[in-house]
Amino acid sequence: MRKTRLSLMLAAGLGTLVVCQTPLVLAQAPDATTAQAGQDARFAQVAESLLMRALERSPEWSVRAGRYDNASLLTIPDAASRASDLAFAEAGLAELAAFDPAQLSASQRIDHTLLKNRFESTRWYLQTFRDWAWNPSRYNVAGTIALLLNTPYAAEDERLRTVMARLEHVPQYYAAAQANIADPTVEHVELAIVQSRGSLSVFGEELRQRIAASGLSADEQALFIARIDAARGAINGWTGWLEGEQKRLAAAGETRSFRIGEALYEPKFRYDVQSHYTAAELYQRAVDEKNRLHAQMDATTVELWPAYFPDSPMPDDRLERIGRMIDKLSARHVTRDEFFPEIKRQIPLLTDFVREHDLLDQDATRPLVVRETPEYMRGGGAGASISAPGPFNPTADTYYNVSPLDAYSDAEAESFLREYNHWVLQILNIHEAVPGHYTQLLHANKSPSLVKSLLGNGAMIEGWAVYSERMMLEAGWGGQAPEMWLMYGKWNLRVVTNAILDYAVHVLGMRQEQAMDLLRREAFQEETEAVNKWRRVRLSQVQLTSYFTGYAEILDLREQRKAELGDAFDLKAFHNGFLSYGNAPVPAIAELMAE
């Protein structure tokens, strides 16, 4: 990887285990537990060394993990960097191959699996998937710099000097990015343009004011300003080149499809999700779950109908009557101006509910900061998200990013607010905040295994957030009102149809009109939400399946533990135990909990 190196950290050698077996003298045979402990200790040394070396090689990953000793370095995404990454992955696999996972304890066996998956995935992405060559939205320097500026991990002047050092090679970074891109997709070019324009906000007047108010010398300030101007020039040059590509692609007619096809989809699903399902199996389970939810929601609709439509007969078609009931209820929502304040208002109420019902451990010392989504993060189709600190800086703020509605017309805003109506907005806050992503990631940062915390499994993370929605309603949030359960069904259909949509679009060739029918008629989504989801499925692959995969696996695990433990099953103990294993895949956590 091309960057100036900092000398670092651990150089762990790979020990050799020699076991002498003398069958005729049984008393001299090594104790199995002692032998395994020694093997575990040797593997733990190698695993930590691999992890720390990987962090050293990627300052950007290091910063996200809360580690800043190489934060002044900027990775240049060129061919030399990719060759170095591939060589490191191959060497890592060779080090892991020296250990037989069957001879390791359960926890270490999972770490071995996670590290192996990481290196095999790196190799596959570099050599086979090759999105570095067709997805220009991969390239953006703003995110890491914004983290450094907004995270008080050191004194202001030290952080500013770190940012100044990173800025030095920004023109080189975008030159390498431009050299990489060949045959991009129209969709990813559009996203890269939006996000690149947004990234300029990180290098705007606010940063100049901070520099002027700092303790940096006059020469340092002048150098900093010059590097900001050069970085802005490089970003504008990159954006201008992308706009040229956009025009070229529009004129070309035939362009690269955003659909990746089955040959790439199945291995991407395997590496990204790490489920016991194949992608095709998960798709079928999602189709079955959609039908089950329709039946359940129809029963609730029939129950509610006399109260909301006393003078209207129910339609014969169940999707039509469910849709009419949802449409009626969706009229209850906050105004455009109330949307952001209402989210902030609900967070402490959710926190109190979790505590009063003793559902899982929380940490009152780690508040959640609700903010508008930074501009450089907008444009990908997600209206809300969580930005959490890594395990090396666990006391840093966690941000709940909420995209403002400023860009929406009145009609678009109304559609959006109907989607996030009185009931659904509560479920969104459960998912993103308490006890969803925010709470889970607090637990993950306390896991004793850095491997499990850092090599985060998206299906586990998203699955927990989806599971927490159902768990909170089961515990009584919403007062068991049928309206809340109906809207939960609509929300849960989003998770299910995410999985259906992603596979159907990328593997089965689903067209836009078919996708909109699935989202609007079968999942009862508002026009704005459906349009955003169609945009999102064209910009990502597999990630939309992670919600349902993780949710289904967590729910299955909970019911399995209930059956095994009977009256001894304790919900809070299950939750705390599950969350204690960091961000490991759900099948791995199930194995650890069983042992």
Side-chain angles (χ1 to χ4, degrees):
M1 186 170 293
R2 279 178 55 190
K3 59 175 98 62
T4 306
R5 288 286 179 197
L6 295 178
S7 60
L8 209 120
M9 275 201 147
L10 289 156
L14 188 61
T16 302
L17 177 63
V18 179
V19 180
C20 297
Q21 293 183 328
T22 310
L24 297 179
V25 189
L26 295 179
Q28 294 180 2
D31 177 78
T33 302
T34 303
Q36 184 180 78
Q39 185 83 328
D40 278 359
R42 279 180 283 276
F43 173 75
Q45 184 184 30
V46 170
E48 183 177 2
S49 173
L50 284 169
L51 200 57
M52 300 310 290
R53 281 180 277 155
L55 286 164
E56 179 191 359
R57 295 174 53 78
S58 176
E60 295 74 25
W61 184 27
S62 241
V63 169
R64 291 196 302 273
R67 183 172 166 274
Y68 305 99
D69 52 351
N70 59 348
S72 61
L73 307 178
L74 175 65
T75 304
I76 305 302
D78 56 12
S81 175
R82 291 192 296 278
S84 179
D85 286 344
L86 182 60
F88 181 72
E90 297 290 4
L93 289 169
E95 290 188 48
L96 293 174
F99 293 89
D100 178 3
Q103 302 303 314
L104 298 172
S105 65
S107 182
Q108 300 284 43
R109 188 163 62 249
I110 300 308
D111 284 359
H112 187 283
T113 299
L114 290 172
L115 284 165
K116 183 180 179 185
N117 183 79
R118 174 79 174 200
F119 294 134
E120 289 180 342
S121 173
T122 296
R123 181 172 60 192
W124 182 81
Y125 269 93
L126 288 171
Q127 294 184 325
T128 305
F129 196 60
R130 293 171 56 87
D131 56 335
W132 52 266
W134 52 262
N135 178 7
S137 68
R138 286 171 48 101
Y139 303 111
N140 196 321
V141 299
T144 303
I145 289 174
L147 275 175
L148 294 171
L149 290 172
N150 295 328
T151 305
Y153 68 90
E156 171 84 347
D157 289 355
E158 180 181 342
R159 287 154 50 212
L160 288 174
R161 289 188 177 100
T162 298
V163 170
M164 181 171 62
R166 284 189 69 84
L167 285 177
E168 180 181 3
H169 299 294
V170 167
Q172 186 182 358
Y173 174 96
Y174 282 108
Q178 184 172 328
N180 286 344
I181 296 300
D183 192 26
T185 74
V186 171
E187 292 78 10
H188 290 97
V189 169
E190 291 174 351
L191 176 61
I193 291 171
V194 170
Q195 294 187 335
S196 294
R197 287 172 179 161
S199 71
L200 291 172
S201 65
V202 176
F203 309 104
E205 185 60 30
E206 181 183 347
L207 178 56
R208 295 175 189 268
Q209 291 174 0
R210 286 174 66 171
I211 295 168
S214 73
L216 272 61
S217 69
D219 287 345
E220 287 178 309
Q221 291 192 24
L223 178 60
F224 206 152
I225 295 301
R227 288 183 177 177
I228 288 175
D229 290 341
R232 290 180 64 92
I235 293 170
N236 282 324
W238 165 247
T239 307
W241 181 79
L242 289 170
E243 290 169 342
E245 283 293 283
Q246 189 177 43
K247 292 176 182 177
R248 180 184 68 80
L249 294 171
E254 285 291 328
T255 60
R256 181 190 184 96
S257 173
F258 65 86
R259 306 176 198 271
I260 64 172
E262 185 175 11
L264 291 176
Y265 195 95
E266 279 288 358
K268 192 175 194 299
F269 181 86
R270 184 171 67 252
Y271 286 126
D272 290 2
V273 178
Q274 296 173 267
S275 171
H276 68 275
Y277 291 109
T278 66
E281 290 169 345
L282 191 279
Y283 168 77
Q284 187 55 54
R285 174 156 182 179
V287 171
D288 294 341
E289 181 66 9
K290 180 193 68 172
N291 295 331
R292 188 195 69 81
L293 279 169
H294 281 164
Q296 188 178 69
M297 294 169 71
D298 187 40
T300 305
T301 295
V302 171
E303 175 188 351
L304 289 171
W305 194 271
Y308 287 92
F309 297 99
D311 301 321
S312 300
M314 282 191 296
D316 292 332
D317 180 78
R318 73 174 182 179
L319 293 182
E320 183 181 349
R321 57 180 175 254
I322 295 170
R324 284 187 60 183
M325 181 59 67
I326 288 174
D327 187 62
K328 181 78 171 179
L329 295 177
S330 296
R332 184 179 174 186
H333 61 72
V334 297
T335 65
R336 183 200 293 251
D337 293 338
E338 293 169 340
F339 183 69
F340 189 84
E342 178 61 17
I343 287 177
K344 293 184 71 172
R345 187 190 72 83
Q346 287 183 17
I347 305 305
L349 302 180
L350 291 165
T351 302
D352 291 345
F353 183 90
V354 170
R355 185 186 66 253
E356 291 164 3
H357 289 76
D358 206 25
L359 295 175
L360 60 116
D361 289 338
Q362 300 184 93
D363 187 346
T365 67
R366 303 277 299 284
L368 179 63
V369 179
V370 184
R371 68 175 182 182
E372 289 192 356
T373 305
E375 289 187 33
Y376 66 88
M377 293 174 61
R378 299 179 193 174
S385 65
I386 288 289
S387 297
F392 290 106
N393 189 25
T395 60
D397 287 337
T398 299
Y399 294 101
Y400 183 178
N401 308 304
V402 180
S403 294
L405 309 185
D406 302 346
Y408 284 157
S409 67
D410 289 344
E412 289 170 335
E414 174 65 15
S415 175
F416 180 90
L417 293 168
R418 287 178 63 84
E419 182 71 23
Y420 292 92
N421 55 60
H422 170 75
W423 296 276
V424 171
L425 188 58
Q426 298 173 57
I427 302 170
L428 172 70
N429 289 328
I430 291 171
H431 179 103
E432 297 292 347
V434 181
H437 286 317
Y438 160 67
T439 305
Q440 182 267 318
L441 292 168
L442 290 183
H443 279 260
N445 281 345
K446 298 176 182 179
S447 169
S449 168
L450 276 178
V451 174
K452 296 182 184 68
S453 292
L454 286 171
L455 302 185
N457 177 259
M460 181 272 176
I461 295 169
E462 295 294 354
W464 169 264
V466 176
Y467 164 80
S468 69
E469 303 156 12
R470 173 168 171 168
M471 178 267 290
M472 286 285 280
L473 266 62
E474 290 173 337
W477 180 269
Q480 302 297 344
E483 291 89 346
M484 175 62 90
W485 278 106
L486 180 65
M487 284 300 184
Y488 167 76
K490 166 184 159 64
W491 177 269
N492 199 231
L493 267 177
R494 177 188 299 196
V495 171
V496 173
T497 53
N498 277 350
I500 296 172
L501 179 72
D502 201 70
Y503 187 86
V505 166
H506 285 286
V507 177
L508 305 180
M510 176 181 274
R511 301 185 306 276
Q512 180 176 1
E513 58 271 21
Q514 294 171 312
M516 295 302 287
D517 182 71
L518 171 69
L519 298 171
R520 297 281 281 122
R521 189 177 65 86
E522 295 194 64
F524 313 105
Q525 293 179 13
E526 292 289 332
E527 180 74 18
T528 302
E529 180 64 25
V531 169
N532 283 340
K533 190 57 58 69
W534 173 248
R535 172 176 172 76
R536 185 171 171 183
V537 77
R538 291 177 293 153
L539 293 170
S540 66
Q541 321 84 22
V542 171
Q543 194 274 336
L544 281 172
T545 70
S546 61
Y547 304 85
F548 181 64
T549 309
Y551 162 71
E553 291 181 331
I554 294 170
L555 193 61
D556 288 350
L557 176 60
R558 186 188 73 176
E559 297 310 300
Q560 176 189 337
R561 298 293 287 173
K562 277 184 177 181
E564 291 170 351
L565 297 175
D567 292 341
F569 177 81
D570 181 270
L571 187 62
K572 181 179 182 180
F574 171 78
H575 291 155
N576 287 336
F578 180 86
L579 295 176
S580 70
Y581 295 109
N583 300 317
V586 179
I589 294 176
E591 181 179 347
L592 292 170
M593 292 184 77
E595 294 202 11

